[in-house]
Amino acid sequence: MSVKKKNILKTSGVVIILLIGLFSMNFLGSTEKTSNKRDFKPEVRTVEVQSVNFGDIALEIKGNGVIVPQKSLSLISEVSGMVTYAKNNLKSGTPVKKGEVILELDAREIENQLYSLRSDFLNTVASLLPDLKIEDENVYNKWHKYFLAIDIENQIPNLPEISNSQEKIKVSTRNIITKYYSVKNQEILLSKHEVSSPFSGYIKSNGIIENSYVSKGQHLFDIEDVVNLEIAVPLLVKDLNMINFNNSPRVKILASNDPDNVIYGRIVRTDQKLERNSQSLNAYVVFSNSNLNSNFLPGNYVDILIEGKNLKNVASIPRHIIQENKYVYTLEEGKLSRRMIDLLFIQQDQAIISNTLPPNTNIVTTILQKPIVGMEIQTIGNSMNPKEIVSSENSESKDNNLQ
């Protein structure tokens, strides 16, 4: 066979092979089965919602502080002397009543000096009477009556009023006024040897026993009123603006370790200057702990709820659902929506908003991850059971295969 014929056969074979391949591809392509298609449906999120009801709400402003006595006094000895009496040896916790004698110092020497000064003053007044009787009977009668009222064992009465210059000269020449005030000063000195309680309370002291010696300037004891108490409560300006101080706002005081243990008080005053660092003012709450409840003794840290203003046409919603203090998510026609709000006040875990939402608005209280406005959502009561979801998917798959 010639070379030419061989080339023709090879070329013919290649062409035949290509034709067979093209035919096979077309055949296979025409017999390919159509795959079952399944449409992807986005997940419908289940959320909790809350309807918004507008009305009147009485605010409660929260604060805290430490209880301190309304009255607390540190007593220092103004004289020296031996202790002749000390109530319960002035031990801490000793109760005392207003006006009760707590401590006495030996005052015999001072008493003797006082009696001597009174006697000298009495003699001086007596020496004045003969001259007055001759010159002016009315003036004499006045000073004679004063003379009879003087008792060296009791405080001397106040000097009679001097009515004319002649009387004034006679009184001055006998040094009556100087001697009168010497007696008065000695009476004051004697009174300092006896210490009485200025108010009812309890003693805080290291103790002073009888027959011990007290020096002038020595600290004796502290006395605190543990019945009439007060609390300084720091409040921000925005909180202060929500309180009507004209009516002495009522305050609920809660024990920090037992919130059910409550006592009541009132705000009586506030500071008039802001704290520079905290930008707050102290409001002072006073109350009475007549039963000496241990949860409300001085030094206890307590929580405070202050009666605030009564806001009208407002609603209370959970604080955590407010986004950027501007808006909340809502459920509208099965989809997630967003509504702007007017935030008035934060009250503990609740937020107070004004009436800016449409009637019957349902706000979403569930915290959503990556929320998209317009996505489908449903409430818990309308959500589908997981078994129902699987059954629905299986029925959809069977329908596609039949097609």
Side-chain angles (χ1 to χ4, degrees):
M1 185 179 291
S2 63
V3 176
K4 187 175 182 180
K5 288 183 178 180
K6 288 182 179 180
N7 291 335
I8 293 172
L9 290 173
K10 288 181 180 179
T11 302
S12 300
V14 171
V15 172
I16 292 170
I17 292 172
L18 289 174
L19 292 173
I20 293 171
L22 289 171
F23 178 78
S24 299
M25 290 176 64
N26 289 331
F27 177 77
L28 292 174
S30 64
T31 59
E32 183 180 359
K33 290 185 178 180
T34 302
S35 59
N36 291 331
K37 294 182 180 180
R38 184 173 180 181
D39 294 333
F40 175 77
K41 292 184 178 180
E43 179 186 359
V44 179
R45 299 196 195 182
T46 302
V47 297
E48 291 183 348
V49 297
Q50 171 185 316
S51 60
V52 183
N53 300 313
F54 290 93
D56 296 347
I57 294 179
L59 295 179
E60 276 191 336
I61 290 81
K62 187 176 182 180
N64 45 60
V66 177
I67 299 174
V68 298
Q70 285 190 42
K71 292 181 288 186
S72 179
L73 188 63
S74 182
L75 293 178
I76 307 296
S77 178
E78 297 182 75
V79 294
S80 301
M82 191 75 67
V83 177
T84 58
Y85 170 75
K87 182 178 181 180
N88 198 28
N89 291 328
L90 296 186
K91 294 179 180 179
S92 288
T94 300
V96 294
K97 295 181 179 180
K98 182 178 180 179
E100 179 183 1
V101 175
I102 304 173
L103 179 70
E104 291 181 354
L105 303 179
D106 186 1
R108 289 174 296 175
E109 183 178 353
I110 302 300
E111 284 180 340
N112 291 337
Q113 292 176 4
L114 176 59
Y115 293 154
S116 177
L117 289 173
R118 285 175 179 166
S119 178
D120 184 42
F121 177 72
L122 183 62
N123 291 334
T124 304
V125 173
S127 68
L128 175 67
L129 294 177
D131 292 343
L132 294 177
K133 187 174 183 180
I134 297 172
E135 298 177 1
D136 192 328
E137 187 174 354
N138 290 332
V139 174
Y140 166 78
N141 291 334
K142 177 178 64 177
W143 280 95
H144 183 260
K145 183 178 180 181
Y146 180 73
F147 172 79
L148 295 177
I150 297 174
D151 182 356
I152 63 171
E153 293 187 357
N154 296 302
Q155 291 188 357
I156 60 173
N158 294 332
L159 287 172
E161 184 179 352
I162 298 175
S163 55
N164 57 59
S165 59
Q166 190 69 24
E167 179 185 359
K168 185 176 183 180
I169 292 171
K170 291 188 177 296
V171 170
S172 299
T173 54
R174 284 174 173 76
N175 214 20
I176 289 178
I177 296 176
T178 300
K179 290 183 178 181
Y180 169 80
Y181 284 107
S182 294
V183 173
K184 284 296 183 183
N185 286 338
Q186 195 71 9
E187 287 176 349
I188 293 172
L189 183 62
L190 176 63
S191 68
K192 293 178 180 179
H193 285 70
E194 182 180 276
V195 180
S196 300
S197 176
F199 52 84
S200 299
Y202 287 79
I203 289 175
K204 287 180 62 179
S205 170
N206 294 326
I208 296 176
I209 62 174
E210 294 182 11
N211 297 320
S212 62
Y213 186 81
V214 170
S215 301
K216 183 178 180 179
Q218 178 180 334
H219 176 261
L220 298 175
F221 57 87
D222 295 330
I223 181 170
E224 292 184 347
D225 183 354
V226 297
V227 174
N228 301 297
L229 307 168
E230 73 175 27
I231 309 163
V233 184
L235 296 173
L236 297 175
V237 174
K238 68 179 183 66
D239 294 332
L240 289 166
N241 291 336
M242 292 297 173
I243 302 173
N244 184 5
F245 290 100
N246 295 327
N247 300 327
S248 295
R250 192 166 182 254
V251 175
K252 184 187 293 185
I253 306 166
L254 300 85
S256 58
N257 58 347
D258 183 9
D260 294 330
N261 201 339
V262 176
I263 201 167
Y264 293 91
R266 289 194 176 275
I267 293 179
V268 294
R269 67 186 190 279
T270 59
D271 286 339
Q272 300 302 314
K273 183 179 179 181
L274 279 173
E275 287 287 339
R276 184 174 181 179
N277 295 330
S278 63
Q279 289 295 291
S280 63
L281 282 175
N282 281 337
Y284 294 91
V285 177
V286 300
F287 68 99
S288 176
N289 184 19
S290 55
N291 294 328
L292 298 182
N293 187 325
S294 59
N295 289 297
F296 302 105
L297 291 176
N300 274 297
Y301 185 85
V302 291
D303 293 322
I304 304 292
L305 291 177
I306 304 171
E307 182 183 68
K309 293 180 178 178
N310 191 36
L311 299 182
K312 297 183 180 298
N313 201 19
V314 296
S316 176
I317 62 175
R319 179 180 180 178
H320 73 272
I321 69 173
I322 299 178
Q323 307 297 320
E324 301 176 8
N325 288 337
K326 296 179 181 178
Y327 60 88
V328 293
Y329 289 114
T330 60
L331 171 61
E332 299 180 21
E333 297 180 354
K335 293 184 179 181
L336 184 70
S337 185
R338 189 169 71 178
R339 292 281 183 177
M340 302 301 292
I341 61 163
D342 182 15
L343 179 61
L344 297 178
F345 189 72
I346 299 296
Q347 181 172 274
Q348 302 175 49
D349 59 350
Q350 294 290 303
I352 309 300
I353 61 173
S354 60
N355 191 352
T356 55
L357 298 176
N360 303 318
T361 298
N362 288 321
I363 58 174
V364 177
T365 59
T366 302
I367 298 177
L368 298 172
Q369 300 295 329
K370 297 180 180 180
I372 301 174
V373 174
M375 71 180 188
E376 293 186 0
I377 57 176
Q378 61 186 354
T379 59
I380 291 179
N382 296 327
S383 62
M384 190 177 292
N385 189 298
K387 294 182 178 180
E388 294 176 351
I389 296 173
V390 173
S391 176
S392 176
E393 290 178 349
N394 291 337
S395 64
E396 288 181 3
S397 176
K398 289 179 180 179
D399 291 342
N400 289 334
N401 289 334
L402 291 173
Q403 292 175 1

